């Protein structure tokens, strides 16, 4: 009999962690999407002392410390607070869901927008948005975060003007440097006033809700494809399944400050060469970059397979243009969207789904890893 996965409906935080199969998951949300070198090194030290030494980079650009116990949670939070990484309360923390493009220069508008948006979201009169409702500050010359999860997006149009966008809409509202943050908060309040049971902006618009008439400027499409390599701002490096050891994080921190991304990659500021650190992916052709896998068993109590071992086994058999999602259960936490290929673990074996999500009807069921390899 197939078990029904439990949908949590929220994400872990630092002040409100979530229990997993390997202990508490403590999610740290770097302010401005950036960790200073001392902060990154400090997180590695704290994760070694109070967790199990494993650190995740989430699809929202956050850092997750794994294997924390009830006893070690307090000292961990105190250490994070001393580094300026903790919000005043769990309620404030839950509202501060902000993705920031990693490609900004010091002093540019993007940095100021991220700080102002953080201040607005953590004010006492900020709307009590659903737990997974988020914002993307994507105000570089061209968008790079459109494939990442966000409900309200700060972007630029083709002429370079600032626009405010609702996820799921093809047009945005023209705004200025002075009005973009107040307008973003007004759009958040519009969502709260308009929704019924909807928890995400795209779902609300798909249900038939119409944005105000001011949202008429066409959005740019995203052409950027994330890949490890050099950039004018530093080195972009990948992490298999978005996970690293504390030793890897401490080693990366020696090369520069870190900017978070939603792509299971980190931008190492001012690094001229790609850091030769164990555990990093620096080859853009590495097939592990095209495999998404959740924590899986035994670290997740709902996982029916050791997903990441399975993903490593399958990765070499992928075609150059194939993307594979390996999910330990039907929730599909690591990749809620459809994927060209999805392998979902069940108590009866593996299911293969083409062009769908982890909970969609499979084309083939009760498969073994060898069966999956043949099907690829």
């Amino acid at each position: 009999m197939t078990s029904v996965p439990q949908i949590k409906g929220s994400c872990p935080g630092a002040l409100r962690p979530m229990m997993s199969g390997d202990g508490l998951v403590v999610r740290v949300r770097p302010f401005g999407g950036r960790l200073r070198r001392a902060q990154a090194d400090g997180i590695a030290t704290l994760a070694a002392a109070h967790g199990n030494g494993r650190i995740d980079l989430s699809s929202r650009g956050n850092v997750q410390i794994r294997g924390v116990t009830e006893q070690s949670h307090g000292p961990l939070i105190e250490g994070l607070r001393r580094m300026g990484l903790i919000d005043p309360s769990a309620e404030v923390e839950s509202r501060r869901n902000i993705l920031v493009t990693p490609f900004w220069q010091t002093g540019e508008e993007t940095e100021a927008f991220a700080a102002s948006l953080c201040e607005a979201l953590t004010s006492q009169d900020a709307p009590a948005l659903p737990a997974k409702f988020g914002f993307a500050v994507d105000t570089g010359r061209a968008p790079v975060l459109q494939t990442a999860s966000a409900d309200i997006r700060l972007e630029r149009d083709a002429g370079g003007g600032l626009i405010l966008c609702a996820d799921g809409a093809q047009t945005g509202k023209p705004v200025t440097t002075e009005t973009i943050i107040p307008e973003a908060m007004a759009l958040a309040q519009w969502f709260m006033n308009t929704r019924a049971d909807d928890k995400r902006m795209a779902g609300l618009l798909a249900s038939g809700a119409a944005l105000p008439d001011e949202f008429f400027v066409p959005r740019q499409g995203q052409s950027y494809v994330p890949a490890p390599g050099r950039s004018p701002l530093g080195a972009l490096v990948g992490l298999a399944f978005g996970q690293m050891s504390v030793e890897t994080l401490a080693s990366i921190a020696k090369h520069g400050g870190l900017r978070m991304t939603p792509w299971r990659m980190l931008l190492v500021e001012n690094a001229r060469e790609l850091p030769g650190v164990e555990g990093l992916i620096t080859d853009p052709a590495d097939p592990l970059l095209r495999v998404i896998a959740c924590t899986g068993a035994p670290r997740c109590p709902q996982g029916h397979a050791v997903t990441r071992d399975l993903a490593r086994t399958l990765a070499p058999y992928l075609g150059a243009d194939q993307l594979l999602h390996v999910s330990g259960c039907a929730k599909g936490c690591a990749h809620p969207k459809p994927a060209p290929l999805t392998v979902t673990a069940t108590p009866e074996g593996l299911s293969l789904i083409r062009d769908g999500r982890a909970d969609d009807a499979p084309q083939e069921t009760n498969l073994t890893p060898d069966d999956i390899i043949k099907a690829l």
Side-chain angles (χ1 to χ4, degrees), residues 59 147 264 291-294 323-327 330-342 356-359:
S59 62
T147 58
R264 295 172 293 152
V291 183
I292 302 167
C294 63
L323 175 70
L324 172 65
H325 172 205
V326 179
S327 184
K331 286 197 303 180
C333 295
H335 189 72
K337 298 179 180 180
L341 295 167
T342 297
R357 296 185 296 268
D359 61 350

PDB file of all heavy atoms in Angstrom, residues 59 147 264 291-294 323-327 330-342 356-359:
ATOM      1  N   SER A  59      16.845  26.021  -2.515  1.00  0.00           N
ATOM      2  CA  SER A  59      16.439  26.610  -3.795  1.00  0.00           C
ATOM      3  C   SER A  59      15.997  28.055  -3.650  1.00  0.00           C
ATOM      4  O   SER A  59      15.719  28.723  -4.639  1.00  0.00           O
ATOM      5  CB  SER A  59      15.303  25.783  -4.418  1.00  0.00           C
ATOM      6  OG  SER A  59      14.161  25.789  -3.569  1.00  0.00           O
ATOM      7  N   THR A 147      13.414  31.650 -13.224  1.00  0.00           N
ATOM      8  CA  THR A 147      13.144  30.220 -13.036  1.00  0.00           C
ATOM      9  C   THR A 147      13.130  29.840 -11.556  1.00  0.00           C
ATOM     10  O   THR A 147      12.855  28.688 -11.223  1.00  0.00           O
ATOM     11  CB  THR A 147      14.194  29.364 -13.764  1.00  0.00           C
ATOM     12  OG1 THR A 147      15.501  29.704 -13.272  1.00  0.00           O
ATOM     13  CG2 THR A 147      14.155  29.616 -15.271  1.00  0.00           C
ATOM     14  N   ARG A 264      21.777  25.992  -6.672  1.00  0.00           N
ATOM     15  CA  ARG A 264      22.731  25.069  -6.054  1.00  0.00           C
ATOM     16  C   ARG A 264      24.168  25.481  -6.391  1.00  0.00           C
ATOM     17  O   ARG A 264      25.053  24.660  -6.590  1.00  0.00           O
ATOM     18  CB  ARG A 264      22.456  23.624  -6.494  1.00  0.00           C
ATOM     19  CG  ARG A 264      21.122  23.086  -6.019  1.00  0.00           C
ATOM     20  CD  ARG A 264      20.804  21.736  -6.625  1.00  0.00           C
ATOM     21  NE  ARG A 264      20.576  21.853  -8.060  1.00  0.00           N
ATOM     22  CZ  ARG A 264      20.790  20.889  -8.931  1.00  0.00           C
ATOM     23  NH1 ARG A 264      21.251  19.730  -8.522  1.00  0.00           N
ATOM     24  NH2 ARG A 264      20.560  21.084 -10.208  1.00  0.00           N
ATOM     25  N   VAL A 291      20.960  17.074 -12.306  1.00  0.00           N
ATOM     26  CA  VAL A 291      20.182  16.161 -11.470  1.00  0.00           C
ATOM     27  C   VAL A 291      19.772  16.897 -10.197  1.00  0.00           C
ATOM     28  O   VAL A 291      20.610  17.470  -9.504  1.00  0.00           O
ATOM     29  CB  VAL A 291      20.978  14.895 -11.095  1.00  0.00           C
ATOM     30  CG1 VAL A 291      20.096  13.942 -10.290  1.00  0.00           C
ATOM     31  CG2 VAL A 291      21.497  14.207 -12.327  1.00  0.00           C
ATOM     32  N   ILE A 292      18.494  16.886  -9.905  1.00  0.00           N
ATOM     33  CA  ILE A 292      17.962  17.473  -8.675  1.00  0.00           C
ATOM     34  C   ILE A 292      17.493  16.318  -7.791  1.00  0.00           C
ATOM     35  O   ILE A 292      16.748  15.445  -8.256  1.00  0.00           O
ATOM     36  CB  ILE A 292      16.783  18.412  -8.978  1.00  0.00           C
ATOM     37  CG1 ILE A 292      17.221  19.520  -9.943  1.00  0.00           C
ATOM     38  CG2 ILE A 292      16.224  19.011  -7.694  1.00  0.00           C
ATOM     39  CD1 ILE A 292      16.070  20.298 -10.533  1.00  0.00           C
ATOM     40  N   ALA A 293      17.936  16.304  -6.552  1.00  0.00           N
ATOM     41  CA  ALA A 293      17.548  15.216  -5.647  1.00  0.00           C
ATOM     42  C   ALA A 293      17.327  15.763  -4.251  1.00  0.00           C
ATOM     43  O   ALA A 293      18.124  16.550  -3.742  1.00  0.00           O
ATOM     44  CB  ALA A 293      18.622  14.127  -5.621  1.00  0.00           C
ATOM     45  N   CYS A 294      16.245  15.345  -3.625  1.00  0.00           N
ATOM     46  CA  CYS A 294      15.947  15.756  -2.260  1.00  0.00           C
ATOM     47  C   CYS A 294      16.848  15.000  -1.282  1.00  0.00           C
ATOM     48  O   CYS A 294      17.651  14.144  -1.675  1.00  0.00           O
ATOM     49  CB  CYS A 294      14.477  15.499  -1.935  1.00  0.00           C
ATOM     50  SG  CYS A 294      14.024  13.749  -1.989  1.00  0.00           S
ATOM     51  N   LEU A 323      17.286  16.829 -18.031  1.00  0.00           N
ATOM     52  CA  LEU A 323      17.229  17.202 -16.627  1.00  0.00           C
ATOM     53  C   LEU A 323      16.457  16.120 -15.886  1.00  0.00           C
ATOM     54  O   LEU A 323      15.367  15.728 -16.298  1.00  0.00           O
ATOM     55  CB  LEU A 323      16.531  18.554 -16.440  1.00  0.00           C
ATOM     56  CG  LEU A 323      16.299  18.986 -14.981  1.00  0.00           C
ATOM     57  CD1 LEU A 323      17.619  19.338 -14.319  1.00  0.00           C
ATOM     58  CD2 LEU A 323      15.336  20.179 -14.918  1.00  0.00           C
ATOM     59  N   LEU A 324      17.016  15.643 -14.769  1.00  0.00           N
ATOM     60  CA  LEU A 324      16.404  14.570 -13.996  1.00  0.00           C
ATOM     61  C   LEU A 324      16.113  15.036 -12.578  1.00  0.00           C
ATOM     62  O   LEU A 324      16.967  15.648 -11.920  1.00  0.00           O
ATOM     63  CB  LEU A 324      17.343  13.361 -13.951  1.00  0.00           C
ATOM     64  CG  LEU A 324      16.954  12.208 -13.014  1.00  0.00           C
ATOM     65  CD1 LEU A 324      15.660  11.545 -13.479  1.00  0.00           C
ATOM     66  CD2 LEU A 324      18.079  11.185 -12.923  1.00  0.00           C
ATOM     67  N   HIS A 325      14.911  14.749 -12.094  1.00  0.00           N
ATOM     68  CA  HIS A 325      14.528  15.018 -10.711  1.00  0.00           C
ATOM     69  C   HIS A 325      14.315  13.669 -10.024  1.00  0.00           C
ATOM     70  O   HIS A 325      13.504  12.859 -10.476  1.00  0.00           O
ATOM     71  CB  HIS A 325      13.229  15.848 -10.691  1.00  0.00           C
ATOM     72  CG  HIS A 325      12.656  16.022  -9.320  1.00  0.00           C
ATOM     73  ND1 HIS A 325      11.314  16.269  -9.100  1.00  0.00           N
ATOM     74  CD2 HIS A 325      13.229  15.989  -8.091  1.00  0.00           C
ATOM     75  CE1 HIS A 325      11.092  16.387  -7.810  1.00  0.00           C
ATOM     76  NE2 HIS A 325      12.238  16.218  -7.171  1.00  0.00           N
ATOM     77  N   VAL A 326      15.054  13.433  -8.955  1.00  0.00           N
ATOM     78  CA  VAL A 326      14.903  12.211  -8.166  1.00  0.00           C
ATOM     79  C   VAL A 326      14.267  12.603  -6.838  1.00  0.00           C
ATOM     80  O   VAL A 326      14.844  13.364  -6.061  1.00  0.00           O
ATOM     81  CB  VAL A 326      16.254  11.513  -7.931  1.00  0.00           C
ATOM     82  CG1 VAL A 326      16.057  10.250  -7.088  1.00  0.00           C
ATOM     83  CG2 VAL A 326      16.912  11.163  -9.258  1.00  0.00           C
ATOM     84  N   SER A 327      13.070  12.067  -6.568  1.00  0.00           N
ATOM     85  CA  SER A 327      12.322  12.434  -5.377  1.00  0.00           C
ATOM     86  C   SER A 327      12.100  11.214  -4.492  1.00  0.00           C
ATOM     87  O   SER A 327      11.699  10.151  -4.969  1.00  0.00           O
ATOM     88  CB  SER A 327      10.971  13.046  -5.757  1.00  0.00           C
ATOM     89  OG  SER A 327      10.269  13.480  -4.614  1.00  0.00           O
ATOM     90  N   ALA A 330       6.291  11.398  -3.105  1.00  0.00           N
ATOM     91  CA  ALA A 330       5.480  12.118  -4.087  1.00  0.00           C
ATOM     92  C   ALA A 330       5.390  13.617  -3.831  1.00  0.00           C
ATOM     93  O   ALA A 330       4.830  14.347  -4.653  1.00  0.00           O
ATOM     94  CB  ALA A 330       4.069  11.522  -4.121  1.00  0.00           C
ATOM     95  N   LYS A 331       5.930  14.108  -2.724  1.00  0.00           N
ATOM     96  CA  LYS A 331       5.861  15.549  -2.456  1.00  0.00           C
ATOM     97  C   LYS A 331       6.694  16.362  -3.439  1.00  0.00           C
ATOM     98  O   LYS A 331       6.327  17.479  -3.789  1.00  0.00           O
ATOM     99  CB  LYS A 331       6.328  15.853  -1.029  1.00  0.00           C
ATOM    100  CG  LYS A 331       5.347  15.472   0.050  1.00  0.00           C
ATOM    101  CD  LYS A 331       5.680  16.171   1.358  1.00  0.00           C
ATOM    102  CE  LYS A 331       7.074  15.882   1.842  1.00  0.00           C
ATOM    103  NZ  LYS A 331       7.374  16.582   3.113  1.00  0.00           N
ATOM    104  N   GLY A 332       7.829  15.834  -3.838  1.00  0.00           N
ATOM    105  CA  GLY A 332       8.673  16.562  -4.781  1.00  0.00           C
ATOM    106  C   GLY A 332       9.240  17.848  -4.216  1.00  0.00           C
ATOM    107  O   GLY A 332       9.326  18.856  -4.922  1.00  0.00           O
ATOM    108  N   CYS A 333       9.662  17.839  -2.964  1.00  0.00           N
ATOM    109  CA  CYS A 333      10.107  19.063  -2.296  1.00  0.00           C
ATOM    110  C   CYS A 333      11.245  19.766  -3.035  1.00  0.00           C
ATOM    111  O   CYS A 333      11.297  20.991  -3.096  1.00  0.00           O
ATOM    112  CB  CYS A 333      10.565  18.754  -0.878  1.00  0.00           C
ATOM    113  SG  CYS A 333       9.249  18.153   0.200  1.00  0.00           S
ATOM    114  N   ALA A 334      12.181  19.014  -3.573  1.00  0.00           N
ATOM    115  CA  ALA A 334      13.364  19.624  -4.181  1.00  0.00           C
ATOM    116  C   ALA A 334      13.054  20.318  -5.499  1.00  0.00           C
ATOM    117  O   ALA A 334      13.787  21.212  -5.918  1.00  0.00           O
ATOM    118  CB  ALA A 334      14.447  18.560  -4.403  1.00  0.00           C
ATOM    119  N   HIS A 335      11.952  19.918  -6.155  1.00  0.00           N
ATOM    120  CA  HIS A 335      11.610  20.501  -7.460  1.00  0.00           C
ATOM    121  C   HIS A 335      10.110  20.363  -7.663  1.00  0.00           C
ATOM    122  O   HIS A 335       9.636  19.427  -8.307  1.00  0.00           O
ATOM    123  CB  HIS A 335      12.375  19.776  -8.572  1.00  0.00           C
ATOM    124  CG  HIS A 335      12.258  20.434  -9.913  1.00  0.00           C
ATOM    125  ND1 HIS A 335      12.887  21.622 -10.221  1.00  0.00           N
ATOM    126  CD2 HIS A 335      11.578  20.073 -11.032  1.00  0.00           C
ATOM    127  CE1 HIS A 335      12.606  21.958 -11.473  1.00  0.00           C
ATOM    128  NE2 HIS A 335      11.816  21.041 -11.978  1.00  0.00           N
ATOM    129  N   PRO A 336       9.325  21.309  -7.131  1.00  0.00           N
ATOM    130  CA  PRO A 336       7.862  21.193  -7.235  1.00  0.00           C
ATOM    131  C   PRO A 336       7.324  21.317  -8.652  1.00  0.00           C
ATOM    132  O   PRO A 336       6.201  20.897  -8.919  1.00  0.00           O
ATOM    133  CB  PRO A 336       7.367  22.367  -6.368  1.00  0.00           C
ATOM    134  CG  PRO A 336       8.513  22.723  -5.495  1.00  0.00           C
ATOM    135  CD  PRO A 336       9.740  22.438  -6.293  1.00  0.00           C
ATOM    136  N   LYS A 337       8.119  21.875  -9.570  1.00  0.00           N
ATOM    137  CA  LYS A 337       7.659  22.080 -10.938  1.00  0.00           C
ATOM    138  C   LYS A 337       7.860  20.808 -11.773  1.00  0.00           C
ATOM    139  O   LYS A 337       8.610  19.910 -11.393  1.00  0.00           O
ATOM    140  CB  LYS A 337       8.421  23.239 -11.575  1.00  0.00           C
ATOM    141  CG  LYS A 337       8.208  24.575 -10.884  1.00  0.00           C
ATOM    142  CD  LYS A 337       9.017  25.659 -11.562  1.00  0.00           C
ATOM    143  CE  LYS A 337       8.810  27.009 -10.881  1.00  0.00           C
ATOM    144  NZ  LYS A 337       9.600  28.087 -11.531  1.00  0.00           N
ATOM    145  N   PRO A 338       7.222  20.728 -12.937  1.00  0.00           N
ATOM    146  CA  PRO A 338       7.460  19.587 -13.827  1.00  0.00           C
ATOM    147  C   PRO A 338       8.912  19.533 -14.280  1.00  0.00           C
ATOM    148  O   PRO A 338       9.580  20.565 -14.398  1.00  0.00           O
ATOM    149  CB  PRO A 338       6.523  19.859 -15.011  1.00  0.00           C
ATOM    150  CG  PRO A 338       5.460  20.767 -14.472  1.00  0.00           C
ATOM    151  CD  PRO A 338       6.150  21.614 -13.451  1.00  0.00           C
ATOM    152  N   ALA A 339       9.389  18.332 -14.527  1.00  0.00           N
ATOM    153  CA  ALA A 339      10.734  18.129 -15.058  1.00  0.00           C
ATOM    154  C   ALA A 339      10.639  17.177 -16.243  1.00  0.00           C
ATOM    155  O   ALA A 339       9.713  16.359 -16.323  1.00  0.00           O
ATOM    156  CB  ALA A 339      11.649  17.542 -13.988  1.00  0.00           C
ATOM    157  N   PRO A 340      11.570  17.253 -17.191  1.00  0.00           N
ATOM    158  CA  PRO A 340      11.553  16.325 -18.323  1.00  0.00           C
ATOM    159  C   PRO A 340      11.556  14.867 -17.885  1.00  0.00           C
ATOM    160  O   PRO A 340      10.862  14.026 -18.458  1.00  0.00           O
ATOM    161  CB  PRO A 340      12.825  16.686 -19.092  1.00  0.00           C
ATOM    162  CG  PRO A 340      13.088  18.114 -18.732  1.00  0.00           C
ATOM    163  CD  PRO A 340      12.645  18.249 -17.308  1.00  0.00           C
ATOM    164  N   LEU A 341      12.332  14.568 -16.842  1.00  0.00           N
ATOM    165  CA  LEU A 341      12.389  13.210 -16.296  1.00  0.00           C
ATOM    166  C   LEU A 341      12.298  13.298 -14.774  1.00  0.00           C
ATOM    167  O   LEU A 341      13.044  14.044 -14.145  1.00  0.00           O
ATOM    168  CB  LEU A 341      13.701  12.521 -16.677  1.00  0.00           C
ATOM    169  CG  LEU A 341      13.952  12.244 -18.158  1.00  0.00           C
ATOM    170  CD1 LEU A 341      15.403  11.848 -18.380  1.00  0.00           C
ATOM    171  CD2 LEU A 341      13.023  11.148 -18.657  1.00  0.00           C
ATOM    172  N   THR A 342      11.399  12.534 -14.196  1.00  0.00           N
ATOM    173  CA  THR A 342      11.276  12.472 -12.742  1.00  0.00           C
ATOM    174  C   THR A 342      11.229  11.016 -12.305  1.00  0.00           C
ATOM    175  O   THR A 342      10.472  10.217 -12.870  1.00  0.00           O
ATOM    176  CB  THR A 342      10.003  13.190 -12.253  1.00  0.00           C
ATOM    177  OG1 THR A 342      10.086  14.576 -12.580  1.00  0.00           O
ATOM    178  CG2 THR A 342       9.856  13.062 -10.747  1.00  0.00           C
ATOM    179  N   GLY A 356       6.651  15.776 -16.068  1.00  0.00           N
ATOM    180  CA  GLY A 356       5.674  15.932 -14.996  1.00  0.00           C
ATOM    181  C   GLY A 356       6.336  16.153 -13.653  1.00  0.00           C
ATOM    182  O   GLY A 356       7.563  16.265 -13.534  1.00  0.00           O
ATOM    183  N   ARG A 357       5.498  16.199 -12.630  1.00  0.00           N
ATOM    184  CA  ARG A 357       5.951  16.378 -11.256  1.00  0.00           C
ATOM    185  C   ARG A 357       6.026  15.025 -10.547  1.00  0.00           C
ATOM    186  O   ARG A 357       5.544  14.012 -11.058  1.00  0.00           O
ATOM    187  CB  ARG A 357       5.004  17.316 -10.505  1.00  0.00           C
ATOM    188  CG  ARG A 357       4.958  18.733 -11.065  1.00  0.00           C
ATOM    189  CD  ARG A 357       4.083  19.614 -10.182  1.00  0.00           C
ATOM    190  NE  ARG A 357       2.697  19.142 -10.196  1.00  0.00           N
ATOM    191  CZ  ARG A 357       1.769  19.576 -11.038  1.00  0.00           C
ATOM    192  NH1 ARG A 357       2.076  20.482 -11.953  1.00  0.00           N
ATOM    193  NH2 ARG A 357       0.534  19.110 -10.967  1.00  0.00           N
ATOM    194  N   ALA A 358       6.562  15.059  -9.348  1.00  0.00           N
ATOM    195  CA  ALA A 358       6.769  13.818  -8.601  1.00  0.00           C
ATOM    196  C   ALA A 358       5.468  13.120  -8.261  1.00  0.00           C
ATOM    197  O   ALA A 358       5.454  11.893  -8.072  1.00  0.00           O
ATOM    198  CB  ALA A 358       7.556  14.104  -7.326  1.00  0.00           C
ATOM    199  N   ASP A 359       4.366  13.867  -8.169  1.00  0.00           N
ATOM    200  CA  ASP A 359       3.091  13.243  -7.815  1.00  0.00           C
ATOM    201  C   ASP A 359       2.188  12.980  -9.018  1.00  0.00           C
ATOM    202  O   ASP A 359       1.038  12.588  -8.859  1.00  0.00           O
ATOM    203  CB  ASP A 359       2.342  14.111  -6.791  1.00  0.00           C
ATOM    204  CG  ASP A 359       2.011  15.504  -7.323  1.00  0.00           C
ATOM    205  OD1 ASP A 359       2.524  15.879  -8.405  1.00  0.00           O
ATOM    206  OD2 ASP A 359       1.243  16.217  -6.658  1.00  0.00           O
TER     207      ASP A 359
END
